[in-house]
Amino acid sequence: MDDGEKSTLLMFLRAQRESVLAILDGLGEEVLKSAVLPSGWTPLGMVEHLGYAERHWFQERSSPGTLAR
């Protein structure tokens, strides 16, 4: 991955993070921990899930030697 590609990916990642934070901004602790879907997911659970997805794609899939997978 060249520097331009890396810069673009980081820009999109930053934009996605800002979008999630804007959605959650101003919600109280009780709301953040309350299930909002039938599956039982909470807003904080969604943030945790997104963190796992980031780690998967940016550490496991994009690290040197794994790009060809």
Side-chain angles (χ1 to χ4, degrees):
M1 175 181 319
D2 66 33
D3 286 342
E5 292 171 319
K6 183 177 179 180
S7 176
T8 299
L9 284 172
L10 290 174
M11 179 186 68
F12 278 105
L13 179 59
R14 186 172 27 260
Q16 290 298 313
R17 287 175 174 171
E18 289 172 0
S19 294
V20 170
L21 291 174
I23 291 167
L24 300 176
D25 187 40
L27 297 179
E29 185 175 346
E30 184 176 329
V31 174
L32 290 171
K33 294 180 178 182
S34 297
V36 293
L37 298 173
S39 64
W41 267 30
T42 66
L44 287 181
M46 179 190 67
V47 171
E48 181 179 33
H49 171 77
L50 293 172
Y52 290 135
E54 275 188 29
R55 279 187 291 285
H56 172 74
W57 286 106
F58 288 93
Q59 292 177 6
E60 297 172 23
R61 301 298 293 173
S62 298
S63 60
T66 62
L67 292 176
R69 286 185 183 173

